């Protein structure tokens, strides 16, 4: 870092990461590490509305909600809230053009952003310092490295999501006490990352028949997710506990923190589960788990991404751009039921007794 932009001990830092749920969970270690390394620092986080419902009560953090659906009014409101303020540093952790425009509303001496390889949508125009390049890095580790240009250590993988007694009570009300609880969160925000409903049904029946598990289906109140969970339920031979659309993000987090195992594709709830220390059996073909999988459960991910990438793009993982998606019709079908039940058997064997 040059002398001109060196901050001996920044007193105020703004984080800009609006979405999505999974990425926002990866910023929690950054906040915790900041507070540990700079005990007197004032942290402000500009965040999306939905994401704030999950972590908007983190201790010692000022949250400013940016409503991305408000259009120009959203930017005007952000400028109003920033009037008269000046941060020592902005951690600009999102490259989307909408986030870049939001960054222009935040006054800061040092604006830290992504390296050139990971920049897009004119991101470079809104920053004056970059994180170090890292060609094959997990998203969590990438975000953790935003502390390094401040002269700090990269954030270690440590999470804390505040939950109330009521959240924990909700969870206990839906979990079995006499057997292992398997939570299935089947829907990703991108439908091409979703595994077929009938395969989830076969997996759920297998977990019940072979391992005596209680299976719980979760999801948002969105009509598509409710219909997806209903499709899984109707295709099953055994009863399943379907609470799709009936929980808040906090209640979901509590549920996952007390569950034994979560099954999910590349989706926010998988990262929530990983953040609260619950193993995740991840289903991957449309995206690379080594980049965006549940950080603490990569060993439990079924990974058909290399096959999907080769089949639909003709490239190997080494040849493709890091982070390239294989979001094509039929990609997730490369994950077989046998792949997943074999991984489930492996997990049960390691956690028996």
């Amino acid at each position: 870092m040059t002398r001109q932009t060196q901050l001996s001990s920044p007193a105020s830092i703004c984080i800009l990461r609006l979405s999505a749920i999974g990425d926002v969970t990866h910023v929690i270690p950054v906040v915790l590490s900041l507070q540990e390394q700079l005990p007197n620092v004032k942290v402000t986080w500009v965040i999306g509305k939905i994401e704030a419902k999950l972590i908007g009560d983190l201790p010692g953090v000022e949250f400013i909600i940016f409503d991305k659906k408000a259009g120009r009014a959203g930017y005007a409101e952000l400028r109003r809230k920033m009037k008269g303020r000046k941060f020592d540093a902005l951690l600009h952790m999102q490259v989307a053009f909408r986030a870049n425009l939001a960054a222009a509303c935040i006054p800061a001496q040092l604006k830290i952003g992504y390296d050139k390889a990971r920049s897009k949508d004119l991101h470079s125009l809104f920053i004056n310092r970059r994180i170090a390049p890292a060609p094959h890095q997990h998203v969590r580790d990438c975000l953790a490295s935003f502390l390094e240009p401040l002269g700090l250590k990269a954030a270690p993988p440590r999470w804390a999501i505040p939950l109330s007694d009521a959240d924990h009570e909700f969870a206990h009300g839906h979990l079995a006490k006499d057997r292992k609880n398997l939570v299935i969160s089947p829907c990703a925000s991108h439908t091409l990352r979703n595994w077929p409903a009938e395969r989830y049904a076969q997996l759920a029946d297998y977990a019940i028949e072979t391992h005596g598990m209680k299976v719980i289906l979760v999801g948002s109140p969105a009509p598509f997710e409710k219909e997806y969970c209903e499709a899984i339920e109707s295709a099953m031979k055994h009863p399943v506990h379907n609470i799709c659309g009936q929980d808040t993000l906090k209640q979901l987090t509590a549920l996952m923190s007390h569950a034994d195992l979560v099954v999910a594709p590349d989706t926010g709830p998988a990262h929530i589960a990983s953040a609260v220390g619950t193993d995740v059996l991840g289903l991957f073909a449309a995206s690379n788990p080594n980049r965006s999988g549940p950080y603490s459960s990569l060993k439990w991910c079924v990974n058909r991404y290399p096959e999907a990438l080769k089949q639909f793009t003709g490239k190997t993982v080494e040849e493709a751009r890091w982070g390239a998606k294989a979001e094509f019709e039929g990609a997730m079908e490369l994950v077989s039921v046998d792949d997943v039940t074999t991984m489930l058997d492996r997990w049960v064997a390691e956690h028996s007794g």
Side-chain angles (χ1 to χ4, degrees):
M1 182 178 283
T2 63
R3 290 179 184 272
Q4 290 82 354
T5 55
Q6 177 71 52
L7 292 172
S8 56
S9 184
S12 60
I13 293 176
C14 184
I15 294 171
L16 175 62
R17 182 74 213 195
L18 304 174
S19 59
I21 290 291
D23 295 309
V24 162
T25 64
H26 293 322
V27 181
I28 295 172
V30 176
V31 172
L32 298 179
S33 187
L34 258 178
Q35 293 172 331
E36 188 175 80
Q37 295 186 65
L38 299 173
N40 297 316
V41 73
K42 292 181 180 177
V43 179
T44 299
W45 186 343
V46 180
I47 194 170
K49 280 176 75 173
I50 293 174
E51 291 74 14
K53 292 178 180 179
L54 176 66
I55 49 91
D57 54 353
L58 275 177
V61 181
E62 173 197 20
F63 284 89
I64 295 177
I65 295 175
F66 178 79
D67 185 359
K68 60 186 180 183
K69 294 183 179 178
R72 290 183 180 179
Y75 296 103
E77 177 66 9
L78 182 58
R79 280 194 298 271
R80 185 188 69 77
K81 290 178 178 176
M82 292 294 167
K83 189 174 181 180
R85 303 178 69 160
K86 184 67 177 281
F87 296 98
D88 290 330
L90 167 67
L91 307 186
H92 182 6
M93 295 177 156
Q94 194 155 353
V95 295
F97 189 63
R98 177 172 55 227
N100 288 330
L101 291 179
C105 303
I106 302 172
Q109 175 186 344
L110 185 63
K111 294 194 171 187
I112 301 170
Y114 287 88
D115 57 287
K116 289 184 179 180
R118 288 178 282 195
S119 295
K120 63 179 182 179
D121 291 348
L122 304 179
H123 181 74
S124 301
L125 299 180
F126 299 88
I127 61 173
N128 55 23
R129 178 66 41 154
R130 297 181 185 276
I131 60 171
H136 298 97
Q137 196 172 42
H138 192 281
V139 171
R140 194 221 73 87
D141 294 332
C142 170
L143 295 174
S145 74
F146 269 76
L147 296 184
E148 293 177 329
L150 295 172
L152 303 174
K153 295 176 183 177
R158 184 168 61 91
W159 287 264
I161 299 176
L163 297 172
S164 68
D165 289 343
D167 295 326
H168 290 293
E169 287 170 13
F170 173 89
H172 290 305
H174 291 283
L175 294 165
K177 297 178 177 63
D178 59 344
R179 51 204 159 118
K180 281 186 165 51
N181 291 279
L182 174 67
V183 173
I184 296 179
S185 180
C187 295
S189 56
H190 301 279
T191 55
L192 291 174
R193 296 180 193 171
N194 289 341
W195 204 39
E198 62 272 15
R199 296 193 185 183
Y200 276 118
Q202 292 175 58
L203 169 65
D205 280 330
Y206 181 87
I208 293 167
E209 292 171 0
T210 308
H211 299 297
M213 292 175 140
K214 178 173 182 177
V215 178
I216 304 163
L217 297 178
V218 298
S220 80
F224 171 79
E225 296 202 21
K226 293 180 81 169
E227 290 166 9
Y228 214 79
C229 286
E230 287 166 5
I232 294 170
E233 185 175 11
S234 64
M236 288 180 61
K237 295 182 288 184
H238 298 280
V240 67
H241 192 57
N242 182 359
I243 59 169
C244 182
Q246 298 175 31
D247 56 351
T248 66
L249 278 172
K250 291 284 197 183
Q251 290 169 339
L252 174 66
T253 303
L255 183 76
M256 289 182 164
S257 72
H258 296 291
D260 297 286
L261 180 66
V262 172
V263 173
D266 187 357
T267 184
H271 299 291
I272 294 174
S274 186
V276 295
T278 299
D279 288 338
V280 181
L281 200 171
L283 311 180
F284 283 80
S287 55
N288 187 349
N290 293 314
R291 178 186 176 273
S292 59
Y295 190 78
S296 303
S297 289
L298 297 183
K299 66 179 282 191
W300 301 119
C301 289
V302 174
N303 182 13
R304 292 297 180 188
Y305 172 72
E307 293 93 325
L309 199 64
K310 189 67 177 177
Q311 179 173 324
F312 293 100
T313 73
K315 294 182 178 180
T316 65
V317 175
E318 293 72 29
E319 292 168 341
R321 174 183 56 83
W322 183 249
K325 299 289 191 291
E327 292 175 340
F328 299 95
E329 289 285 352
M332 287 299 292
E333 277 83 341
L334 294 174
V335 176
S336 70
V337 175
D338 282 346
D339 286 337
V340 185
T341 56
T342 297
M343 189 66 80
L344 177 62
D345 292 342
R346 208 174 295 166
W347 181 89
V348 170
E350 191 167 304
H351 294 81
S352 58

